[in-house]
Amino acid sequence: MAVQSGGRAAERGVDRLKPGSVGLVGVVFMAVATAAPITAMTGNLPIVVGQGNGAGAPAAYVVATLVLTVFSVGYVAMARHITAAGAFYGYVSHGLGRVVGMAAGLLALLAYVAFEASVVGFFAYALRGLVRAQLGVDLGWGWYAAAGLLVIGVMAWFDLHLTARVLGVALVLEVGVLGAVSLAVLAAGGGPDGIVGEAVNPLNALKGVGGSGAAAAGLGLFFAFTSWVGFESTAMYGEESRDPKRVVPRATLASVVGVGLFYVFVSWMIVSGNGVEHAVAVASGAVPGKDGNSLFFDPLGAHLGAWAVRVFQWLVVTGSFACAMAFHQCAARYLYAIGRERFLHPALGRTHPRHGSPHVASVVQSGIAAGLVLAFLVAGMDPYLHLYTLLALLGTMAILIVQTLCSFAVVGYFHVLGRHPETRHWFRTLTAPVAGGVAMAGVVALLVVNRGAAAGAAAGTLLFRLIPYLVIGAFAGGIVLALVMRWRRPELYARMGRIVLEDAAERD
């Protein structure tokens, strides 16, 4: 299929990603695997319960689900008209202009590059601990990280269909075990306090654990929101999906709403299964010999047996691997999207002649991720406390800012620029995007205020202090690059963020 730039019908000779590689289910699997339910639940829920909203943790997920659903309304409106591997980069460029679009593109690229290395750190940490505990073998975490990066790099060389299948299997397994323990708790009528109805009252999302102030509630809400990071990746696979103008909007809403309802149900049952006081005590580290994962291990062992705990531990590893692989695909497609427009090295915009994958961009991303992991390894840093935590904070701050810009880009595209009046609507393209943008800006504020608590033991490092400046630097770098191109290479500036599929492009 041909591509267009800026709505013109001329063929640009751009290498295409392989069309028709995945359908609706495949795109949903890719997006949900990026959100990584088992990693999000085991990594974030203990913090939301122990340091954030206490027994009201499920309510925080209710609020996050509502906000992100509103955000998605405008997002899918754009997806019905613009299909591009650069997703946010293309959307913001079309709605707020090329200069802001390039800034958003570099921010999104920074986020996904950081996310892969971050999750590889968690994968290496979890796998090392599991192998040591269950098999008695102890290797340095760097070996596990290297193995993970190698497998991810090899798989990304091939058609996206292969990755979608692997992620689909991993996702079904992790959702299955989380769903099984939650249903077991429900069937048993909960724990010591029964099924805690107040846990899902949205008003409790505004309360801190144990009656503490707004700061704790804000921390809980922030970690609830971060459990969805990656859902927006649906749009990146538009060029490789079947019927992208239908698949991407449906996959986005299915990912947001489906994941949200699942998170609410799992967190509700986990709190109920443990009992309110015990859940908070375990999550906050007040129970000797137990950590946050005991929130899941205790109900699993009680209702399904010790074998389920061992399976769950392995699925945390496979889930984190699937998450890292999905983020690799995201980063490679951003490199590809910017490379094919010749703002980075044009070789990044090449696709494999047989597999249709962005193989050059994928190899470069593997090198970047390996370099980041190696830097932390040489510095003697911990794969969980430092690599995972710090790069996750960096990526989250960057992607939340891009999501905020995307909301306002919807308004700019449909109402300020007057594109596609047949789609323009007072709620879908105006009220919902504005509300979503304001809410996302609020989440950014929560991150800024609570970043020290979120970083934990890593808050004293130089990288932690540099995170805001790295984000500002990437955004400013995008602005400078766009302005220089507008001055020196106007023909390249004209195509900035404008390479989209022919059947989904704008028409003058």
Side-chain angles (χ1 to χ4, degrees):
M1 188 180 296
V3 295
Q4 286 186 333
S5 176
R8 299 183 181 277
E11 175 68 54
R12 298 289 181 171
V14 176
D15 282 8
R16 272 292 317 279
L17 296 168
K18 185 178 180 180
S21 295
V22 288
L24 174 62
V25 174
V27 174
V28 171
F29 277 174
M30 296 289 291
V32 178
T34 312
I38 200 166
T39 306
M41 285 286 92
T42 57
N44 293 342
L45 182 60
I47 298 175
V48 181
V49 173
Q51 302 175 44
N53 308 97
Y61 284 98
V62 170
V63 171
T65 301
L66 294 173
V67 169
L68 290 171
T69 301
V70 170
F71 164 81
S72 298
V73 170
Y75 188 69
V76 300
M78 292 284 278
R80 291 190 175 97
H81 297 285
I82 301 172
T83 302
F88 284 135
Y89 169 49
Y91 292 0
V92 176
S93 178
H94 278 81
L96 298 180
R98 293 169 174 83
V99 175
V100 181
M102 178 56 74
L106 290 189
L107 266 187
L109 176 60
L110 172 67
Y112 293 119
V113 165
F115 280 141
E116 182 189 357
S118 169
V119 181
V120 165
F122 182 87
F123 162 79
Y125 165 81
L127 182 55
R128 182 192 185 192
L130 187 55
V131 170
R132 183 171 51 198
Q134 294 192 7
L135 303 179
V137 178
D138 189 15
L139 297 175
W141 69 266
W143 293 107
Y144 296 109
L149 287 168
L150 178 62
V151 174
I152 289 170
V154 170
M155 292 189 64
W157 184 269
F158 297 99
D159 182 357
L160 184 64
H161 186 61
L162 175 61
T163 298
R165 283 187 171 184
V166 173
L167 294 184
V169 172
L171 180 62
V172 168
L173 291 174
E174 61 183 276
V175 168
V177 71
L178 286 171
V181 66
S182 301
L183 289 172
V185 171
L186 179 64
D193 305 311
I195 301 297
V196 185
E198 282 298 303
V200 291
N201 183 346
L203 294 178
N204 288 327
L206 306 178
K207 300 177 182 178
V209 60
S212 56
L219 177 65
L221 279 169
F222 164 68
F223 273 97
F225 274 98
T226 61
S227 301
W228 272 264
V229 168
F231 81 88
E232 72 289 338
S233 63
T234 51
M236 297 178 207
Y237 305 112
E239 294 188 17
E240 297 159 274
S241 66
R242 308 179 194 111
D243 196 3
K245 288 193 289 184
R246 291 179 180 269
V247 165
V248 172
R250 292 177 180 179
T252 302
L253 289 175
S255 300
V256 172
V257 177
V259 168
L261 293 176
F262 186 71
Y263 284 166
V264 170
F265 178 62
V266 171
S267 61
W268 187 16
M269 291 302 104
I270 292 300
V271 169
S272 297
N274 282 276
V276 172
E277 292 186 5
H278 184 71
V280 173
V282 169
S284 62
V287 180
K290 293 184 180 292
D291 58 17
N293 281 333
S294 295
L295 280 177
F296 299 88
F297 295 162
D298 291 349
L300 268 170
H303 294 285
L304 300 178
W307 68 269
V309 175
R310 290 192 291 271
V311 170
F312 186 89
Q313 291 172 321
W314 279 104
L315 290 179
V316 170
V317 173
T318 59
S320 60
F321 173 80
C323 180
M325 183 159 56
F327 276 128
H328 176 94
Q329 298 285 7
C330 295
R333 276 150 186 79
Y334 264 94
L335 285 169
Y336 160 80
I338 299 177
R340 70 181 177 180
E341 294 182 356
R342 299 181 180 273
F343 299 116
L344 297 176
H345 197 286
L348 292 169
R350 296 176 186 166
T351 56
H352 193 281
R354 178 181 177 185
H355 305 299
S357 61
H359 63 303
V360 177
S362 178
V363 170
V364 170
Q365 168 56 21
S366 292
I368 295 172
L372 289 172
V373 170
L374 183 61
F376 278 84
L377 182 64
V378 171
M381 291 187 168
D382 185 83
Y384 179 78
L385 294 177
H386 299 109
L387 176 56
Y388 172 66
T389 302
L390 291 173
L391 292 188
L393 275 175
L394 172 61
T396 301
M397 182 177 291
I399 205 65
L400 288 176
I401 293 172
V402 176
Q403 288 179 356
T404 303
L405 290 172
C406 186
S407 289
F408 296 115
V410 175
V411 178
Y413 182 72
F414 289 105
H415 294 272
V416 178
L417 298 177
R419 303 291 189 184
H420 298 285
E422 75 279 5
T423 302
R424 196 180 309 145
H425 188 270
W426 68 269
F427 178 75
R428 288 193 301 269
T429 60
L430 181 60
T431 305
V434 169
V438 171
M440 295 307 296
V443 179
V444 174
L446 287 177
L447 171 56
V448 172
V449 171
N450 295 290
R451 66 185 187 279
T461 62
L462 175 62
L463 179 55
F464 172 78
R465 294 191 292 272
L466 290 177
I467 285 176
Y469 301 102
L470 292 172
V471 172
I472 293 171
F475 191 82
I479 292 176
V480 170
L481 175 59
L483 293 176
V484 169
M485 286 295 169
R486 186 170 68 180
W487 174 47
R488 301 189 62 179
R489 299 292 300 276
E491 74 282 2
L492 288 183
Y493 177 79
R495 66 160 37 186
M496 190 173 287
R498 294 305 200 270
I499 294 184
V500 295
L501 282 185
E502 184 176 38
D503 66 345
E506 295 178 79
R507 305 287 200 284
D508 289 335

